[in-house]
Amino acid sequence: MSLLKLLLAASSKNASLQTPLQAQQWRFLNVHEYQGAALMSKFGINTPPGTPAFSVDDVTKAAKHWADENGEVVLKSQILAGGRGLGKFTSGLQGGVHMVTVAQAPVLAEQMLGSVLVTKQTGPAGKPVNTLYVAQKMKLVREMYFAILLDRKSAGPIMIGCSQGGTSIEDLAEKFPDKIVKIPIDIRVGCTDAQALAMATGLAVTGDKEAAAQQIKALYELFVKTDCTMVEVNPLAEDPSGKLIAADAKLAFDDNAAYRQADIFAMKDDSQIDSRSVLSPVWNNLNYVTMDGTIGCMVNGAGLAMATMDVIKLAGGEPANFLDVGGGATKERVTEAFKLILSSDKVRAILVNIFGGIVRCDLIAEGIIAAVKEVGLKIPVIVRLQGTNVDQGRELLANSGLAITPADDLNDAAYKAVAAANILSHAGGIMKCDVIAAGIVNAAKQVNIKVPLIVRLEGTNVERGKEILRTSGLAIIPAEDLDDAAKQAVKSITKA
């Protein structure tokens, strides 16, 4: 069945759009809940008292310190993703947030620390829990939603509130659209007393509205003075006296301000970020985000990179990454980009889409050829160039003697990349190669495959398997080895 799905995806030029799994971008810094609580406290924002714990001994001490009159505390897994309460550890433990007694705290901490927590936002790989936030159990009677974001329409910050909370803003907007309050802020003036009171009224606070307004102004001060791109408090809660408490918050910071927010950026937790995204700023400042496809992308310009991924999907493929090499597509930068792309073992073809503006296309082509030779690429590379000296650039690529195929335009490049990625490589162990080949042929017939399919088999009855493929009457080409498979793929897409 999985083979059938693979062939179906390969044959469809209009595959339905799916959202690939993404790793967190390095672009905006996110901090853990305990770090955000410490920052908010500096600005006079009410937060639940608590202590970060990095070991079981730390948890034991903190639990004794923060236990309430019933001897209970809250253990909260610290990962950079939402949905922790409903998450599940790979060990089988259910939930990343627990209310426990002082005696139970170290026992549960033993299971949580060092384990991987999977939530609806982490993807199946999950994220490691290296820290627990041991917090005082709060008595909260109401939950609300509050956030400050950057708004394109008003070209400035905007406050968003809802008198209901405890769930995502998307769910709240769907269930309670009439309770959503939006207040744009003039960045030159800041959050006025009137605007803060209007938000407190919109949140339907039951306590002191003046005090609530001051909390809202403090949150705005945090947003501005720490160069936040987002402050999301969910829930913003009330205790029995009506006092507002930022029970849980998510803060994101603009990396352009790293030079003046050194203390905050020192909090960055690389264990929560995909290793390739962590390395990419070091690798010639390449803007990289890993995805879940098989076609590696190398493009100059973020907008062009996004368009390239869209066209790959429309051609029936899935991009393996977002990668913007910036304005200068030099040999050194292209070389590092290839290394970054190949750090994923899922990549089966690479599409290079370069617009030569200031830099001539023939010089770009020379850089690509030199980079391919240096890296020793074994998979097909499809290159679309456009700009000054484009014909000379394409000629250099076509005559390089390498597995590089020039494309006429972006659509042509995408279809060739999808075809090149459809090299099937299977080693027949327990299962015989002739049986595997028969299954491939049957699956190809069922989906009425239209693109060339290159198949490399190795193992028991391999010659019989290759014969079945050759005599199938379909566009299936058997390959002798992986190098031959790559060459066959390039040859087939050159004819396409």
Side-chain angles (χ1 to χ4, degrees):
M1 187 62 184
S2 59
L3 177 61
L4 181 61
K5 288 180 179 178
L6 174 61
L7 292 172
L8 181 59
S11 65
S12 170
K13 288 189 176 183
N14 293 296
S16 60
L17 296 181
Q18 299 176 357
T19 302
L21 295 175
Q22 284 194 29
Q24 273 193 323
Q25 297 189 33
W26 188 81
R27 170 68 190 239
F28 298 128
L29 170 71
N30 294 299
V31 297
H32 287 294
E33 177 189 2
Y34 75 91
Q35 296 168 324
L39 275 174
M40 289 190 290
S41 295
K42 291 181 180 179
F43 285 83
I45 300 161
N46 303 324
T47 59
T51 303
F54 308 97
S55 67
V56 175
D57 287 342
D58 289 345
V59 170
T60 302
K61 294 174 185 176
K64 291 177 180 177
H65 181 75
W66 295 115
D68 65 5
E69 63 273 14
N70 296 317
E72 293 183 328
V73 293
V74 183
L75 293 187
K76 306 177 84 171
S77 300
Q78 298 297 284
I79 62 170
L80 296 181
R84 294 172 295 167
L86 297 176
K88 186 175 183 179
F89 287 90
T90 53
S91 62
L93 177 65
Q94 185 67 46
V97 178
H98 294 271
M99 282 185 284
V100 296
T101 64
V102 171
Q104 293 170 333
V107 178
L108 199 58
E110 189 80 49
Q111 301 177 60
M112 299 169 73
L113 283 171
S115 298
V116 174
L117 179 62
V118 180
T119 77
K120 61 182 180 181
Q121 291 187 14
T122 64
K127 290 186 181 295
V129 177
N130 300 316
T131 309
L132 294 177
Y133 191 34
V134 185
Q136 191 177 78
K137 186 179 174 183
M138 303 296 292
K139 294 178 180 178
L140 305 176
V141 295
R142 276 192 68 232
E143 292 186 342
M144 298 154 281
Y145 176 92
F146 177 80
I148 306 173
L149 310 166
L150 292 173
D151 180 42
R152 287 187 179 184
K153 186 176 180 180
S154 63
I158 186 170
M159 296 192 299
I160 301 175
C162 181
S163 56
Q164 303 288 327
T167 186
S168 70
I169 186 61
E170 293 84 4
D171 291 340
L172 293 172
E174 183 179 349
K175 294 178 182 178
F176 312 105
D178 56 321
K179 295 183 179 181
I180 302 295
V181 180
K182 297 181 181 179
I183 302 178
I185 304 295
D186 185 334
I187 192 68
R188 297 164 297 184
V189 177
C191 180
T192 65
D193 291 340
Q195 288 173 321
L197 277 171
M199 178 54 71
T201 301
L203 293 172
V205 297
T206 60
D208 186 341
K209 282 188 173 58
E210 292 289 344
Q214 289 306 310
Q215 285 292 296
I216 289 165
K217 291 189 71 174
L219 285 162
Y220 180 78
E221 185 183 14
L222 165 72
F223 179 85
V224 173
K225 290 189 174 180
T226 61
D227 291 294
C228 284
T229 56
M230 178 186 71
V231 172
E232 184 182 47
V233 184
N234 189 21
L236 178 64
E238 285 184 337
D239 68 10
S241 68
K243 177 182 175 181
L244 282 191
I245 297 171
D248 196 357
K250 182 177 181 181
L251 309 181
F253 304 87
D254 189 346
D255 70 330
N256 290 307
Y259 71 96
R260 64 183 177 207
Q261 302 290 352
D263 291 344
I264 292 175
F265 277 77
M267 298 177 184
K268 183 163 70 80
D269 184 356
D270 287 343
S271 73
Q272 300 291 306
I273 309 171
D274 183 272
S275 60
R276 288 160 290 183
S277 295
V278 172
L279 289 172
S280 58
V282 179
W283 289 2
N284 285 322
N285 291 315
L286 301 173
N287 296 313
Y288 177 90
V289 180
T290 186
M291 304 177 86
D292 202 35
T294 59
I295 299 173
C297 304
M298 184 175 71
V299 190
N300 65 334
L304 188 59
M306 294 176 71
T308 300
M309 293 190 296
D310 287 343
V311 175
I312 286 173
K313 290 177 74 69
L314 290 171
E318 289 289 343
N321 63 272
F322 169 97
L323 177 54
D324 170 19
V325 296
T330 62
K331 175 205 166 186
E332 292 74 21
R333 187 170 286 245
V334 171
T335 299
E336 296 308 317
F338 279 144
K339 290 178 181 178
L340 192 52
I341 291 171
L342 293 173
S343 64
S344 168
D345 56 7
K346 296 180 181 179
V347 174
R348 303 170 81 170
I350 297 176
L351 192 162
V352 179
N353 186 14
I354 300 292
F355 178 79
I358 298 173
V359 184
R360 299 189 334 236
C361 287
D362 54 335
L363 296 180
I364 295 171
E366 290 174 355
I368 292 172
I369 291 167
V372 169
K373 289 179 179 178
E374 182 174 330
V375 175
L377 275 176
K378 299 296 184 181
I379 60 176
V381 179
I382 296 83
V383 180
R384 180 256 185 174
L385 293 176
Q386 195 63 48
T388 307
N389 289 358
V390 64
D391 292 332
Q392 295 94 312
R394 289 175 182 170
E395 185 177 356
L396 285 169
L397 295 174
N399 297 329
S400 66
L402 301 171
I404 304 176
T405 302
D408 295 328
D409 53 42
L410 183 51
N411 284 328
D412 180 47
Y415 285 123
K416 286 179 177 179
V418 172
N422 291 329
I423 301 172
L424 289 186
S425 178
H426 195 98
I430 299 174
M431 197 170 183
K432 296 178 180 178
C433 287
D434 53 343
V435 177
I436 295 168
I440 292 171
V441 171
N442 288 335
K445 288 178 179 177
Q446 286 184 47
V447 300
N448 192 24
I449 193 166
K450 299 296 184 184
V451 296
L453 182 65
I454 293 83
V455 181
R456 177 254 183 182
L457 293 174
E458 192 63 53
T460 309
N461 290 358
V462 63
E463 294 303 325
R464 173 61 184 152
K466 292 177 182 177
E467 182 67 21
I468 292 172
L469 297 175
R470 274 193 293 266
T471 58
S472 66
L474 302 173
I476 302 177
I477 305 169
E480 296 302 320
D481 51 39
L482 284 176
D483 286 340
D484 181 49
K487 292 175 183 177
Q488 295 282 6
V490 171
K491 187 184 297 184
S492 68
I493 60 179
T494 303
K495 294 178 181 178

